[in-house]
Amino acid sequence: MEKDPLRGNASIPMSYPATYQAVGGQLENGQQIRTVSLSSDDDMIDITTTGTTTERSIHGEELGSHFSGDSDDIPGIGQYEDFHTIDWQRDIARDRMRHRYIIKKKQDSICDLIKGAHDAWSGWVCVLFVGLVTGVVAGVIDIGASWMSDLKYGICPEAFWLNREQCCWSSNETTFDNGNCSQWWTWPEVFSQSREGVGPYIISYLFYIVWALMFAALSAALVRMFAPYACGSGIPEIKTILSGFIIRGYLGKWTLIIKSVGIMLAVSAGLSLGKEGPMVHIACCIGNILSYLFPKYGRNEAKKREILSAAAAAGVSVAFGAPIGGVLFSLEEVSYYFPLKTLWRSFFCALVAAFILRSINPFGNEHSVLFYVEYNKPWIFFELVPFVALGIIGGMVATLFIKANLYWCRYRKVSKLGQYPVTEVLVVAVVTAVIAYPNPYTRMNTSQLIFLLFSQCGVSNSDNLCDYNRNFTDVNSAIEIAAAGPGVYKAVWLLVLALVFKLVATIFTFGFKAPCGLFIPSLCLGAIMGRIVGIGMEQLAYNYPHIWLFSGECSTGDDCITPGLYAMVGAAAVLGGVTRMTVSLVVIMFELTGGVRYIVPLMAAAMASKWVGDALGRQGIYDAHIELNGYPFLDSKEEFAHTSLAADVMQPKHNEPLSVLTQDSMTVDDVETLLKETEHNGFPVVVSRESQYLVGFVLRRDLNLAIGKKHISRKKIMVFTRLYNNFSGKF
């Protein structure tokens, strides 16, 4: 993250030292470059350099004596270097000391009392601002993406800034042909052609491809030129940052601007991606920038992550209209340090963001949820069997997607394809547009397709999915179960083709150098699969209404099976298998659709999907991409056994003996002797001299700071280490 988001930052390449000695410095042109992680402790020490060894001499009294009532520079709020890991315990201790200092000074004057009050409410004020700005940005993105998506099909000549739905609001027509009204002109009509025919079809086809190519090219070019960190979903990096890793510029102002514009363009291009995942990244950018208005958070990396956790909750809240699901998503999926006060502030931030988005009303209806549905039939007990089956199939499809996507991303890294990111985006955009247009279910916006699949057939539905042999003589009567017409069978075949296409397209799309999310494509894959299964169950109940499975609810002649419900359950199954979410997924799904009564089917499918996914592959898509990119992420939900030897993962230069610290058997004199005889910037910590199993790593500066404090006993010390994930290759 940027030290100051209001200033420009240089792009620093991602690299890690590969040897033990490289921790002390990286070799560049034969010169050793030392990287020192600066913090507020440097304000209390003198740094003297003798030869190539950097030693620190500690001066001064106890930490509290360095606080000055006339100084606003309270110690303990320093910065870390790029691609370093923060010291959680030290930053939290600094904040506690700063808080004690403020409490003590409150008694001195009215000014200090006001400062204390400001410090107390600054966290709530910060998350309030984050929620407000996130809601506004999300509204702008939703409106812009909707308008540009409709540009591929036509334009509103009376007011070009209106999308197709808004353009048709003022029309007096009761029915629209394929969603088009007389006030909305398709591109063939702009060129004085009719809407139907071979010529108009070719013109529409070409305009669809040209607009898709333009949007995709602009999105990729903006990312490449101005903000390389704006590509991808951003959730793997957000998880890594919230675990304590520093990636400066990833949450900066340019990333925020380019990610917001780029995701609108990428979604409008018709690529197999969504804007919901990047909304989490965008919200965290907003949280990072606004945290600098409050030094309590902006200058303390551990405290800043409390704001970022709340911002992540707000991002999901505005992406799906699911504030509670957003809080649970932040807690379950992305956050590493989540105290109770962060839970409250995350809830407040998500609430404010959802309220602002609802006030903007980008969807133009009375619902703030994305796919609001109203099913009038409860689910039947025996349907748990197909629901669990959908969960199993969803876990298998998700595992197939993860493995194929990782294979393609690895190939991109090692081949020449990675040298031409913009070209890759353009090729994917052209191929997607050419294949997607002939199929009406792949041509339409993915969110519209999901809503169509979730919807229940009624009087107003004219899609082939609702082509049943039933007569609607009374709109108030229950919908009767009926045989599927030829349109349903045609729609099923088109959906099968759409399923295959969406799966393949998403494999090649997720991870390329443009903003791209995975939530909507995963929901779409599951919704297609679920709708097909739902239609099959519905026709089974129609043809065999007297077998024991259907003898109760389905023998009355009413439509007892809701295919849209199967689409909802299938969507949850695939998304759960891809991301490995459980609790937050179920809450997001019922907030997303308003289907509170269907929590049990959603829970069953999500759990089955996770079990199958864990059995076939141990990682979700985000954890897999964290490992693929080599981020030092230590999952707090996993147990790590100390089975690696220090010599196996760390080798000194020039065949020198490996210098180690034991975790509980060294005196202060032993540590001081080791520091004098070596010049390394860090040491592996092992169990003992005899059993050199690696248990952690300690920096030289931490040892110097600990030894320099007068209250340290000179008999023995316990070395408290910070554990690092994936030791092999990192040191």
Side-chain angles (χ1 to χ4, degrees):
M1 285 167 288
E2 293 178 306
K3 296 182 180 179
D4 185 352
L6 302 180
R7 298 180 182 176
N9 60 285
S11 177
I12 303 177
M14 184 69 172
S15 61
Y16 281 94
T19 64
Y20 160 61
Q21 289 291 347
V23 175
Q26 301 178 20
L27 294 178
E28 243 181 55
N29 299 325
Q31 299 295 325
Q32 190 175 31
I33 301 175
R34 296 200 167 272
T35 58
V36 180
S37 179
L38 298 178
S39 71
S40 62
D41 292 321
D42 298 319
D43 298 334
M44 297 173 279
I45 59 179
D46 290 336
I47 301 178
T48 58
T49 303
T50 303
T52 60
T53 303
T54 302
E55 300 290 351
R56 289 172 168 83
S57 301
I58 314 298
H59 299 287
E61 301 298 326
E62 293 295 333
L63 184 62
S65 64
H66 289 272
F67 291 130
S68 171
D70 300 328
S71 174
D72 291 331
D73 296 329
I74 301 174
I77 45 180
Q79 297 289 340
Y80 295 91
E81 292 295 320
D82 200 6
F83 302 121
H84 281 63
T85 303
I86 71 172
D87 191 327
W88 286 95
Q89 297 299 327
R90 177 175 297 162
D91 279 3
I92 293 172
R94 289 169 181 164
D95 183 70
R96 289 172 180 167
M97 189 168 294
R98 178 199 58 79
H99 181 68
R100 287 198 298 267
Y101 171 76
I102 291 176
I103 294 298
K104 179 181 178 181
K105 295 294 291 181
K106 284 171 64 175
Q107 313 297 329
D108 295 347
S109 65
I110 298 296
C111 182
D112 289 324
L113 181 64
I114 296 175
K115 287 183 179 180
H118 171 72
D119 181 77
W121 71 53
S122 60
W124 292 99
V125 175
C126 187
V127 296
L128 172 65
F129 288 166
V130 172
L132 291 172
V133 178
T134 301
V136 172
V137 172
V140 172
I141 291 175
D142 287 337
I143 294 172
S146 175
W147 175 69
M148 287 190 289
S149 295
D150 286 342
L151 273 182
K152 300 197 302 291
Y153 310 105
I155 195 170
C156 186
E158 296 183 358
F160 70 90
W161 58 87
L162 298 179
N163 61 21
R164 178 163 49 185
E165 182 181 3
Q166 295 167 340
C167 184
C168 294
W169 280 348
S170 59
S171 176
N172 294 324
E173 301 168 62
T174 57
T175 59
F176 300 145
D177 181 20
N178 295 326
N180 296 323
C181 61
S182 59
Q183 298 188 11
W184 174 265
W185 287 11
T186 61
W187 290 115
E189 289 180 297
V190 173
F191 292 94
S192 302
Q193 299 286 329
S194 63
R195 290 193 176 188
E196 305 296 335
V198 177
Y201 182 86
I202 295 176
I203 294 176
S204 299
Y205 202 162
L206 292 176
F207 267 91
Y208 184 90
I209 296 173
V210 170
W211 278 112
L213 186 61
M214 288 175 56
F215 289 148
L218 186 56
S219 177
L222 288 175
V223 169
R224 182 174 177 83
M225 289 188 294
F226 297 104
Y229 281 151
C231 67
S233 168
I235 293 182
E237 289 77 11
I238 295 300
K239 289 186 66 171
T240 307
I241 290 172
L242 288 179
S243 72
F245 195 57
I246 303 291
I247 308 179
R248 301 219 179 273
Y250 198 84
L251 301 179
K253 62 181 184 304
W254 277 110
T255 305
L256 169 63
I257 296 171
I258 300 303
K259 188 92 172 189
S260 302
V261 176
I263 193 59
M264 288 190 288
L265 293 168
V267 170
S268 304
L271 294 165
S272 184
L273 49 81
K275 61 180 182 295
E276 284 66 27
M279 277 305 307
V280 177
H281 186 187
I282 291 170
C284 287
C285 290
I286 295 170
N288 176 60
I289 294 172
L290 293 181
S291 69
Y292 285 90
L293 300 176
F294 305 89
K296 173 182 177 180
Y297 297 98
R299 299 168 66 182
N300 187 309
E301 293 293 342
K303 294 292 291 181
K304 182 187 293 182
R305 275 146 183 78
E306 297 179 14
I307 302 299
L308 296 182
S309 294
V316 175
S317 174
V318 296
F320 293 110
I324 301 176
V327 176
L328 293 177
F329 173 82
S330 179
L331 172 62
E332 179 184 4
E333 186 66 18
V334 298
S335 292
Y336 189 86
Y337 173 66
F338 205 84
L340 186 59
K341 61 183 177 181
T342 302
L343 177 67
W344 301 335
R345 289 171 181 168
S346 299
F347 182 80
F348 177 66
C349 188
L351 168 67
V352 172
F355 173 77
I356 295 300
L357 185 65
R358 179 65 186 86
S359 301
I360 297 175
N361 193 18
F363 304 118
N365 55 37
E366 70 275 13
H367 305 296
S368 59
V369 299
L370 196 58
F371 309 118
Y372 184 78
V373 294
E374 290 180 301
Y375 301 142
N376 50 21
K377 285 288 183 180
W379 59 280
I380 308 171
F381 180 76
F382 80 85
E383 288 185 289
L384 276 179
V385 176
F387 291 154
V388 172
L390 279 174
I392 295 173
I393 299 172
M396 297 171 62
V397 171
T399 303
L400 173 64
F401 166 76
I402 292 173
K403 292 183 179 298
N405 179 254
L406 288 178
Y407 176 83
W408 178 250
C409 290
R410 290 192 188 99
Y411 176 77
R412 182 189 293 120
K413 281 179 172 290
V414 300
S415 67
K416 291 185 177 181
L417 181 64
Q419 303 175 11
Y420 305 98
V422 177
T423 303
E424 180 190 4
V425 174
L426 295 182
V427 171
V428 172
V430 170
V431 173
T432 301
V434 170
I435 300 177
Y437 189 84
N439 189 337
Y441 295 121
T442 54
R443 182 194 315 167
M444 68 174 60
N445 185 276
T446 308
S447 297
Q448 295 175 352
L449 174 59
I450 296 173
F451 181 74
L452 175 64
L453 295 171
F454 282 5
S455 300
Q456 184 178 15
C457 289
V459 180
S460 60
N461 294 99
S462 59
D463 190 85
N464 283 336
L465 280 172
C466 298
D467 183 23
Y468 291 91
N469 298 325
R470 52 168 76 108
N471 296 318
F472 292 101
T473 56
D474 185 2
V475 295
N476 295 320
S477 63
I479 300 175
E480 61 179 6
I481 192 168
V488 174
Y489 292 106
K490 178 182 178 182
V492 167
W493 281 110
L494 290 175
L495 286 177
V496 170
L497 295 176
L499 177 64
V500 175
F501 169 73
K502 288 285 186 182
L503 178 60
V504 175
T506 309
I507 289 172
F508 289 98
T509 301
F510 187 72
F512 69 2
K513 300 306 179 183
C516 56
L518 194 59
F519 282 1
I520 289 296
S522 300
L523 290 174
C524 183
L525 291 174
I528 294 174
M529 184 177 64
R531 186 77 183 205
I532 294 173
V533 173
I535 292 174
M537 288 295 298
E538 184 184 41
Q539 293 307 299
L540 187 64
Y542 172 76
N543 291 309
Y544 304 98
H546 299 295
I547 63 174
W548 66 273
L549 287 176
F550 309 106
S551 59
E553 291 81 356
C554 299
S555 59
T556 60
D558 293 340
D559 192 2
C560 58
I561 303 295
T562 306
L565 174 60
Y566 285 78
M568 186 198 307
V569 173
V574 174
L575 182 57
V578 170
T579 62
R580 300 295 197 271
M581 293 190 301
T582 53
V583 180
S584 58
L585 170 65
V586 173
V587 176
I588 287 174
M589 286 304 299
F590 82 70
E591 285 190 285
L592 189 64
T593 60
V596 182
R597 67 165 65 179
Y598 305 111
I599 291 180
V600 173
L602 292 172
M603 291 175 66
M607 205 69 251
S609 176
K610 177 175 173 55
W611 283 338
V612 172
D614 289 341
L616 299 178
R618 62 186 180 88
Q619 292 178 321
I621 187 67
Y622 299 131
D623 292 332
H625 273 262
I626 287 174
E627 183 177 302
L628 178 67
N629 293 323
Y631 296 134
F633 177 72
L634 187 67
D635 195 343
S636 60
K637 297 186 287 292
E638 294 185 10
E639 295 290 337
F640 295 91
H642 305 305
T643 58
S644 300
L645 294 174
D648 293 337
V649 296
M650 303 180 183
Q651 282 88 31
K653 296 185 302 181
H654 311 306
N655 296 321
E656 298 174 0
L658 185 63
S659 301
V660 298
L661 295 172
T662 58
Q663 62 179 353
D664 57 3
S665 61
M666 294 184 69
T667 65
V668 175
D669 290 336
D670 294 335
V671 177
E672 288 182 332
T673 301
L674 181 64
L675 291 173
K676 290 178 182 179
E677 293 178 352
T678 62
E679 59 181 41
H680 314 317
N681 265 20
F683 303 92
V685 182
V686 297
V687 176
S688 65
R689 295 286 183 183
E690 295 76 21
S691 177
Q692 294 202 358
Y693 285 106
L694 186 65
V695 297
F697 185 80
V698 64
L699 293 175
R700 184 186 195 90
R701 66 182 299 277
D702 294 336
L703 293 173
N704 281 321
L705 288 170
I707 294 173
K709 295 190 180 296
K710 294 192 300 183
H711 64 274
I712 292 292
S713 169
R714 296 192 60 83
K715 294 181 180 179
K716 284 189 176 183
I717 64 171
M718 177 75 73
V719 179
F720 293 92
T721 63
R722 290 180 295 167
L723 299 181
Y724 285 79
N725 184 29
N726 196 7
F727 293 106
S728 179
K730 296 297 186 293
F731 305 108

